[in-house]
Amino acid sequence: MTQEVVRSSMTDVNRAVDDLCSKLNDSVSSYSAIIFFASSSYDFAALSAALYSRFPKAEVIGASTAGEITRDGFAKNSVVLNAISDSRTKFKGVFIDDADKFPIVYKKEICSAAGKIGISLDSLSSHRDSFAIALICGLRNAEEGILALLYSLICDPKFIVAGGSAGDDLKFAATYVSYNGRCSDCGSVVLFVKTSCHFEVVKENIFRKSGKSVMLTDVQPEKHLIYSIDGQSPRKRYAEVLGISEEQVENALLDHPFGRAFGDTFFTASLVQFHPDGSLTTYARVIQDSVQEILEPMDAVAITEKTCRSLSEKIPDPKCVILFNCILRTIGFEKKGLQSKINAIWRQYFPMYSGFSTYGEQFGSINSNQTLVAIVIGE
């Protein structure tokens, strides 16, 4: 497999596309898949159409971002393009519009897309040579519904759907995804991948349990809103458990999100903000009467090194690496002066990679926050 990663900061869409294509090593007709990540500063519909017109033989998917990632580091106001080619790998996408309302109407299209490249969603062993990449609009609370739909069709519990929620540079106005020139601000695109190459998909946490847990006693799951924790005002109870004043809670949110364990896998639910009435909004969907651990941060640099070392042992010669890194991790790294250190470790282990800062990360059937989801494909 060959992954080329090119980036452009040109503000005009057509010039940016020309710039990206000029930096590729092979002809545009030689690529099997194009995956692009673009700042919300671009006209996303125009960019999607222009890129699709340039790569006639590729499956072309993309998402708007809250920042882009390449070997050059964490970037803003740019478009990053992954051009992938491999004779042993097949790609097929499916476009799901109105993902926040009626995604089930796309059931037939999802099964058909997988089947066109030889993936049987009825099989219990499809995980051995297949996975899927999901890009989902990040402001529609559609992630859980899309994942639930996919895993109602995927019979193999080990089959991994991995991806990220599109961003819009923290404007929180509109996010976009696209497939073969079609784009949506309320949809999702799923790219099925069938390959004989060795691949690994991992989720990285930089938090651990603190031993302090709470129960969410009054919630609105669809709105990701918590009205009471342990029967009390969320702001008051959160401050009480952490041993801080209510005036200090906003500064604690980034380092002390919620978390839940599902077997051996740990998922983080980031906290957005406390409202004047004391209620709390989260990025991930909350569940009535669920017990949540209040997490504490670990050494992000040490964990990044550990993750990369483990992947290197499994795939010593990575050929394609895609990173979905939560925007809150990006912000946290920036505040703590860790962005260059984290990127230096990625550079050490991965000869080529790209990714973007997301509004949520999908790993299997769970949507979470403040995590890294990495797809690594080798020989």
Side-chain angles (χ1 to χ4, degrees), residues 219-235:
V219 306
Q220 273 195 293
E222 294 78 13
K223 294 185 178 181
H224 297 194
L225 192 58
I226 303 171
Y227 289 109
S228 74
I229 295 175
D230 293 335
Q232 302 179 42
S233 159
R235 181 169 52 213

Side-chain angles (χ1 to χ4, degrees), residues 69-80:
I69 299 170
T70 69
R71 283 178 58 85
D72 293 331
F74 291 83
K76 297 177 181 179
N77 299 315
S78 67
V79 54
V80 171

Side-chain angles (χ1 to χ4, degrees), residues 4 14 22 44-45 70 106 112 130 157 167 185 188 200 214 235 241 250 261 278 287 295 297 304 330 335 366 372 374:
E4 293 181 52
N14 291 321
S22 71
F44 193 82
T70 69
Y106 292 90
S112 175
S130 307
D185 66 352
S188 173
E200 293 286 337
V214 296
R235 181 169 52 213
V241 172
E250 293 293 344
I287 302 173
L295 306 180
T304 300
T330 301
K335 286 184 175 181
I366 303 294
L372 169 77

Side-chain angles (χ1 to χ4, degrees), residues 184-196:
S184 172
D185 66 352
C186 58
S188 173
V189 57
V190 178
L191 183 69
F192 287 101
V193 183
K194 184 179 177 67
T195 182
S196 59

